[in-house]
Amino acid sequence: QLQLQESGPGLVKPSETLSLTCTVSGGSISSSSYYWGWIRQPPGKGLEWIGSMYYSGSTYYNPSLKSRVTISVDTSKTQFSLKLSSVTAADTAVYYCARQRPSYCSGTTCYSYWFDPWGQGTLVTVSS
Amino acid sequence: EIVMTQSPATLSVSPGERATLFCRASQSVSSNLAWYQQKPGQAPRPLIYGASTRATGIPARFSGSGSGTEFTLTISSLQSEDFAVYYCQQYNNWPPFLTFGGGTKVEIK
């Protein structure tokens, strides 16, 4: 059964870079059928998609965060990572990693991706 | 950007009653819509994808319907474990974009 686990510092200072890693177990991160994404949730608020990547290295980012986000993958370590630069208190949130799986595939092409499963999440607080 | 609007923000329901949650898209997303359930302190749990297909292990009391811009999640008979926040998410123009709705909290009446 595929499992994801976020890890990284729980406290980051303003203006610094937030760095998190998602470790994938029970499956391959190199599969061509999936994307791998990051989602965050500020305390008491809703979900916000941050960005995603394909095993080949292609990346897709939320336009509102694009200038500050980098997502990369290390297939040899079955990990992918998130870096968010120039953080402020508004970046305080629980950060989740998740796999994006297709609703269906036709031949070698897959379509309609949704998030399943999710990691348990990790709280990152931005404060001096 | 496709904006997803969920209503109501809070729904008060008694155990055993039916709950109906709504999700509206600012433009058509076809059937490319998922629903997630989130309990306090937990990660979101997938319930429905493709607007109406239940994810693995989801009880039959959860059903999704709709297409285009109007979607509904129905919980036929609320159990105590169903009181939570529910989010819709569209993935019609993935890649490169996807968006979540603001959520509906289902609370005990």
Side-chain angles (χ1 to χ4, degrees):
Chain A
Q1 182 180 354
L2 189 79
Q3 293 185 318
L4 296 88
Q5 178 69 59
E6 305 88 351
S7 60
L11 180 64
V12 180
K13 290 182 168 56
S15 80
E16 295 189 344
T17 296
L18 178 159
S19 296
L20 295 174
T21 296
C22 181
T23 300
V24 178
S25 59
S28 173
I29 203 170
S30 301
S31 171
S32 60
S33 297
Y34 307 112
Y35 292 80
W36 304 89
W38 289 95
I39 305 100
R40 71 179 183 179
Q41 184 172 38
K45 296 187 178 180
L47 301 168
E48 179 182 35
W49 171 67
I50 300 170
S52 301
M53 76 172 306
Y54 198 49
Y55 81 101
S56 62
S58 298
T59 53
Y60 309 90
Y61 299 133
N62 186 323
S64 68
L65 298 168
K66 186 174 184 176
S67 64
R68 299 194 291 130
V69 175
T70 302
I71 294 175
S72 59
V73 66
D74 185 339
T75 56
S76 63
K77 294 183 179 180
T78 63
Q79 294 178 330
F80 62 105
S81 64
L82 168 70
K83 293 187 185 299
L84 181 65
S85 64
S86 304
V87 298
T88 69
D91 295 309
T92 293
V94 174
Y95 286 76
Y96 297 99
C97 60
R99 182 185 67 175
Q100 285 171 267
R101 60 181 299 180
S103 297
Y104 64 97
C105 296
S106 178
T108 58
T109 304
C110 296
Y111 305 88
S112 301
Y113 286 79
W114 50 292
F115 290 104
D116 176 51
W118 296 58
Q120 67 183 29
T122 187
L123 174 63
V124 179
T125 302
V126 179
S127 175
S128 55
Chain B
E1 177 188 349
I2 298 176
V3 177
M4 306 302 292
T5 303
Q6 291 187 242
S7 61
T10 304
L11 184 62
S12 298
V13 186
S14 299
E17 290 188 339
R18 172 187 294 258
T20 304
L21 290 66
F22 301 96
C23 177
R24 172 176 292 177
S26 60
Q27 63 189 76
S28 177
V29 298
S30 186
S31 295
N32 294 307
L33 185 108
W35 290 93
Y36 303 88
Q37 175 194 67
Q38 187 179 34
K39 298 178 182 179
Q42 296 185 16
R45 170 196 184 196
L47 295 176
I48 301 284
Y49 66 93
S52 61
T53 302
R54 280 188 298 276
T56 301
I58 301 303
R61 64 180 182 273
F62 291 93
S63 63
S65 63
S67 66
T69 62
E70 303 285 340
F71 300 89
T72 301
L73 175 69
T74 301
I75 312 171
S76 60
S77 177
L78 270 160
Q79 306 297 304
S80 58
E81 62 266 30
D82 300 335
F83 293 96
V85 179
Y86 294 82
Y87 294 95
C88 63
Q89 178 233 323
Q90 71 82 17
Y91 44 87
N92 188 59
N93 50 355
W94 175 262
F97 300 119
L98 58 89
T99 45
F100 288 93
T104 290
K105 181 179 181 180
V106 177
E107 64 176 23
I108 301 175
K109 186 175 182 179

